Amino acid sequence: MPKVLIADSLSPAAVEIFKNRGIETETRVGLSKEELIEIIPEYDGLAVRSACKPDADVIEAAKNLKVIGRAGIGVDNIDIKAATAKGVVVMNTPFGNAVTTAEHAIAMMFAAARQIPAADAGTQAGKWPKKSFVGTELSYKTLGLIGCGNIGARVAERAKGLTMRVVAYDPFLTEERAVELGIEKVDLEHLLSRADIITLHTPLTDQTRNILSKEALQKTKKGLILVNCARGGLVDEAAVRELLDSGHLGAAAFDVFAEEPAKENVLFGAPNFVATPHLGAATVEAQENVALQVAEQMSDYLLTGAVTNALNMPSVTADEAPRLRPFIDLAEKLGQFAGQISDHGFEEVVIEYEGELADINRKPITAAALAGLLRTSRGDVNMVSAPAILAESGVKYSETVTEESPVYDTLIRIKVRVPKTENSDETGWRSLAGTVSAGRPRVVEIKGMPLEGDFTPVALYVNNIDKPGFIGSLGAMLGEAEVNIATFHLGRQDVGGEAIALIGIDNEPPADMTAKLDALPHVRYAKVLHF
């Protein structure tokens, strides 16, 4: 039974989801790093919000961990790179608190535009400071969105309802989506010069860190209202304080800060500054939604392999998983085959998809193929870590898709280019292809030669010249070694040309078997394979 550690508070309904799905849970909130490291090896899953911080040390200690689920959108507290290297899926719940966060951003815009917190404080102090607060309307102003994904789009929809003009900077926003939202896509320079209000809705990455630097903020209109309900670190806080003091910025409202909890901050006490303690997702509805979603997502992955909202692995829905599973199995075995016959490594990988695979989600299939390929040389590699490991290795990778397959409904072909110094294959390439037949993976082509064979747990692969007597010699050798043949599949180019044999065997052959095979006349290459 899978076991999940809940390290931050989740609703009882979320815990009940785990229980109903047959997953054991233990709730341990407020653990120190040392305590977490001590107990994490027991668990298959880790559910967190933002307080628990599974860093590289924690992940290294997590010997059985398969998934980290973040109940919420931000994953700054999780070392995704370390998790990926360890083969741990990291997933979040980007949709559960989108409405709540968008509403908070709009509320902060109003609070800053009408100076509501300061007016409230003065009124409740008995000062009746009516003449001190003259605000500005939001209607017909230009709102600049930095980031127009799930949350930013909801802010745009609400701003349009306030009759605001909306411009957005987001490299991933398509023109079609901008038209659908009724907004204008612009570059950052245009947004800075045109916006009356700027609000941020982007994750904190190397590309977005300090995106509103002092230099950028100085390009904005005098009187700009700045709202940040996304992530601390996106804005130069010291520059914001300076521009508030000088009057260049009309107001600012921040829900997030570079260092949290923000007990002290350069912005505190600045004129026309509004602060809230990271409340963007703090509604009853949002907290419940993200908790339920993370429980469902983690359960799906641990029980069925379905991947939803993963940050370091292609998503596979629960509906897709049954259809994809045979092809994932095929791709992994083809990768294992290619890896085992590339004795000196490889410099390039090509995966070709033919037929019906052109129209389905191929990313997890590719990840499985790369995992199988790398496992021979890199050991503990899985679908999560394989793409990153290949990218870091510098091995060239490409993929092709053809809607028609000449013989089979679906075909996967893996080609690896091995170093030219390897004398056993003067072409420099290993090529394998397979299909799924009756729900089972089958190899149907090796080195361009047609052959239909099974992936048995132990197999013998031989590349030879097609000459009389070879099969007899091979059979006699296996018989003498008391190795029973389960399946025997042959392929060749033409009479007397290059040939291949894939023999399924029932038991592990003697260690010197391949050396004896290599000594047979006409044998070019022999290898014992394991699947």
Side-chain angles (χ1 to χ4, degrees), residues 373-456:
L373 179 65
L374 292 167
R375 195 169 294 132
T376 302
S377 58
R378 299 294 294 266
D380 188 16
V381 181
N382 64 16
M383 290 171 62
V384 180
S385 58
I389 291 173
L390 187 75
E392 290 175 359
S393 72
V395 171
K396 185 179 178 182
Y397 172 75
S398 60
E399 184 177 308
T400 65
V401 180
T402 305
E403 293 184 358
E404 297 294 330
S405 183
V407 179
Y408 301 95
D409 292 336
T410 57
L411 188 82
I412 302 174
R413 182 178 289 107
I414 295 180
K415 298 161 64 176
V416 295
R417 181 165 59 85
V418 296
K420 293 294 186 181
T421 55
E422 190 174 355
N423 297 323
S424 60
D425 186 356
E426 62 275 6
T427 66
W429 286 90
R430 302 279 190 261
S431 177
L432 303 160
T435 190
V436 172
S437 176
R440 297 176 56 191
R442 302 267 294 173
V443 60
V444 297
E445 177 191 299
I446 301 176
K447 294 186 68 177
M449 289 175 269
L451 169 151
E452 295 224 8
D454 299 304
F455 291 96
T456 56

Side-chain angles (χ1 to χ4, degrees), residues 22 45 146 193 305 325-326 418 489:
I146 297 179
S193 65
R325 194 171 292 117
V418 296
H489 307 284

Side-chain angles (χ1 to χ4, degrees), residues 161-335:
L162 296 171
T163 63
M164 300 182 77
R165 293 182 291 271
V166 182
V167 298
Y169 166 68
D170 187 330
F172 301 102
L173 177 66
T174 65
E175 292 291 351
E176 292 78 11
R177 178 59 172 158
V179 170
E180 180 183 334
L181 291 170
I183 66 178
E184 182 183 353
K185 180 180 179 179
V186 298
D187 60 29
L188 184 59
E189 293 294 317
H190 279 83
L191 183 143
L192 296 173
S193 65
R194 291 175 56 185
D196 300 299
I197 303 101
I198 291 178
T199 180
L200 297 106
H201 303 286
T202 182
L204 181 64
T205 66
D206 291 340
Q207 289 72 39
T208 62
R209 188 179 303 277
N210 209 33
I211 191 169
L212 287 185
S213 61
K214 181 176 181 179
E215 180 183 5
L217 289 167
Q218 288 173 332
K219 297 177 181 179
T220 61
K221 286 184 178 181
K222 181 176 174 58
L224 175 83
I225 295 173
L226 177 61
V227 175
N228 186 11
C229 294
R231 280 287 174 265
L234 297 173
V235 182
D236 183 334
E237 293 172 351
V240 173
R241 176 62 192 253
E242 181 181 328
L243 294 172
L244 283 170
D245 288 339
S246 71
H248 180 83
L249 287 180
F254 280 31
D255 184 48
V256 292
F257 299 88
E259 292 187 14
E260 294 183 1
K263 301 296 182 66
E264 296 179 352
N265 190 278
V266 66
L267 289 166
F268 292 170
N272 296 342
F273 179 68
V274 180
T276 52
H278 208 141
L279 299 179
T283 64
V284 173
E285 295 88 348
Q287 295 298 299
E288 186 78 358
N289 287 342
V290 296
L292 298 179
Q293 286 179 20
V294 82
E296 289 284 6
Q297 290 175 193
M298 292 179 69
S299 298
D300 283 343
Y301 180 67
L302 289 171
L303 297 174
T304 71
V307 182
T308 307
N309 297 322
L311 299 161
N312 59 346
M313 181 180 175
S315 289
V316 180
T317 68
D319 291 337
E320 287 179 318
R323 184 185 180 192
L324 291 178
R325 194 171 292 117
F327 296 107
I328 289 173
D329 187 26
L330 169 64
E332 185 172 21
K333 284 182 166 57
L334 287 172

Side-chain angles (χ1 to χ4, degrees), residues 44-93:
D44 302 285
L46 174 64
V48 302
R49 287 191 185 274
S50 57
C52 180
K53 294 177 170 55
D55 61 12
D57 296 331
V58 172
I59 292 167
E60 176 59 30
K63 304 302 181 185
N64 296 308
L65 195 65
K66 300 174 181 65
V67 58
I68 299 173
R70 163 70 162 101
I73 188 169
V75 289
D76 302 0
N77 56 315
I78 302 170
D79 191 328
I80 297 178
K81 185 175 181 180
T84 301
K86 189 79 170 180
V88 177
V89 173
V90 178
M91 54 178 60
N92 65 353
T93 55

